[in-house]
Amino acid sequence: MSRSGDKKPVGFGTHIVAGGMAGAAEALCCQPLDTIKVRMQLSRSGNAPGTKPRGFLATGGMIVRRETPLALYKGLGAVLAGIVPKMAIRFASFETYRGWLADKSTGKTSTGNIFIAGLGAGTTEAVLVVNPMEVVKIRLQAQMHSLADPMETPQYRNAAHAVYTIVREEGFGVLYRGVSLTALRQATNQGANFTAYQEIKKLALKLQDLPELPSYQHMLIGLISGAMGPFSNAPIDTIKTRLQKASFEPGTSALSRISSIAGDMWRREGFRSFYKGITPRVLRVAPGQAIVFAVYERMRKIIERMSDFEAEKDSFSE
């Protein structure tokens, strides 16, 4: 029996279904952590002398007290609307790039080329899906209105209304504000993520002499691989979040905007401000990747078995 690492890439339809379900499961489980992360990154708490920045638990508690627990799911509509194409593009593009970079004689892809394929997958998903989705999500998450008070009207009612309002008032280009930082973040995330996942998975299969790993092991490997990206690119993510929330004069270049935000953070808040929200981000991304890989691998197996069954049924009917 061949090992999973030697199997040919699965079809694009499988990536859409398995990846979409995996992404939806991740979003539903981890959205509260992402909302807390965004609020921490946007927070100016701790600037006054003798005060400390508001921490992870304190930020979450403040949101729940002031805005109800449902506020932790602000922006979920934007995330769910983009999660299916995002995951389909991530897995499909990774497999495509990995196939292009594989050794033509053996069909195997080296560790370095797996990292390059991950960089390509992260950049592709950032440009096509992630950046517009995150601009909308961050605008929704940044609204500090109470869901328990119907008289307190937010600027954006939902994801669709946010897209309409942003495009109407600020132009379509705003949805791509910070795309260079998003692409850099996603590229480093997926480069590290896919490389670590593939290599640890390969080692686990070899050590246990198994054709397939059980779901809990996919989850553990995804947890480890998912934690690597946030530590390497936290400053990029924090600057990107503030860039996508801020308003600038028309005609200001992307580089000057990024430099202005980074310089202001350094002068006013110090080095630690670049790592604001790192705790909820790691707690969000690492378990999120554990869920994604476990659900994706399970759904892929189910779809492959269903396809094999249909193929066998068709062969008997001929």
Side-chain angles (χ1 to χ4, degrees), residues 38-221:
V38 167
R39 289 293 182 85
M40 289 179 72
Q41 289 176 331
L42 295 174
S43 172
R44 299 298 198 276
S45 66
N47 289 355
T51 63
K52 292 182 179 180
R54 191 178 294 112
F56 168 56
L57 293 176
T59 300
M62 185 188 70
I63 294 171
V64 170
R65 287 194 304 274
R66 291 177 55 182
E67 306 171 49
T68 80
L70 284 177
L72 294 171
Y73 282 90
K74 283 180 178 179
L76 180 62
V79 174
L80 287 174
I83 208 74
V84 172
K86 172 186 172 181
M87 288 301 170
I89 289 167
R90 174 182 296 180
F91 285 103
S93 61
F94 172 74
E95 291 291 348
T96 300
Y97 299 145
R98 185 169 73 164
W100 288 347
L101 295 168
D103 186 295
K104 303 306 177 188
S105 59
T106 64
K108 293 183 179 180
T109 311
S110 67
T111 302
N113 283 339
I114 285 176
F115 180 72
I116 294 172
L119 291 177
T123 302
T124 303
E125 71 175 13
V127 173
L128 295 182
V129 180
V130 176
N131 202 83
M133 178 184 76
E134 289 208 346
V135 170
V136 174
K137 174 182 71 70
I138 287 167
R139 293 293 184 93
L140 290 166
Q141 288 173 323
Q143 296 185 123
M144 298 187 187
H145 71 287
S146 175
L147 298 178
D149 183 359
M151 301 302 291
E152 192 175 349
T153 306
Q155 182 181 4
Y156 309 117
R157 294 192 296 272
N158 49 49
H161 181 252
V163 172
Y164 172 76
T165 305
I166 291 168
V167 172
R168 186 190 64 188
E169 295 181 356
E170 303 175 62
F172 181 80
V174 172
L175 295 176
Y176 278 89
R177 179 177 290 166
V179 67
S180 58
L181 293 175
T182 303
L184 183 59
R185 185 199 66 184
Q186 293 302 112
T188 52
N189 267 349
Q190 300 316 317
N193 189 18
F194 276 113
T195 303
Y197 183 82
Q198 295 292 332
E199 291 303 306
I200 298 172
K201 178 182 173 182
K202 191 190 303 178
L203 179 63
L205 287 167
K206 183 178 179 181
L207 291 176
Q208 299 173 93
D209 194 27
L210 293 173
E212 293 285 355
L213 295 177
S215 292
Y216 81 90
Q217 291 190 25
H218 287 300
M219 186 169 282
L220 287 174
I221 297 170

Side-chain angles (χ1 to χ4, degrees), residues 239 243 248-249 251-264:
I239 295 170
L243 179 68
F248 291 91
E249 290 293 326
T252 310
S253 69
L255 181 60
S256 64
R257 292 172 180 176
I258 293 168
S259 299
S260 174
I261 289 172
D264 186 64

Side-chain angles (χ1 to χ4, degrees), residues 225-247:
S225 68
M228 296 188 175
F231 285 108
S232 65
N233 57 29
I236 296 169
D237 189 58
T238 304
I239 295 170
K240 176 200 70 66
T241 297
R242 295 201 180 190
L243 179 68
Q244 291 174 330
K245 171 65 172 60
S247 297

Side-chain angles (χ1 to χ4, degrees), residues 185 188-189 192 223-237 271 274-275 277-283 285-286:
R185 185 199 66 184
T188 52
N189 267 349
L223 185 73
I224 296 168
S225 68
M228 296 188 175
F231 285 108
S232 65
N233 57 29
I236 296 169
D237 189 58
F271 175 78
F274 291 95
Y275 284 85
I278 186 65
T279 300
R281 187 172 175 225
V282 171
L283 291 175
V285 173

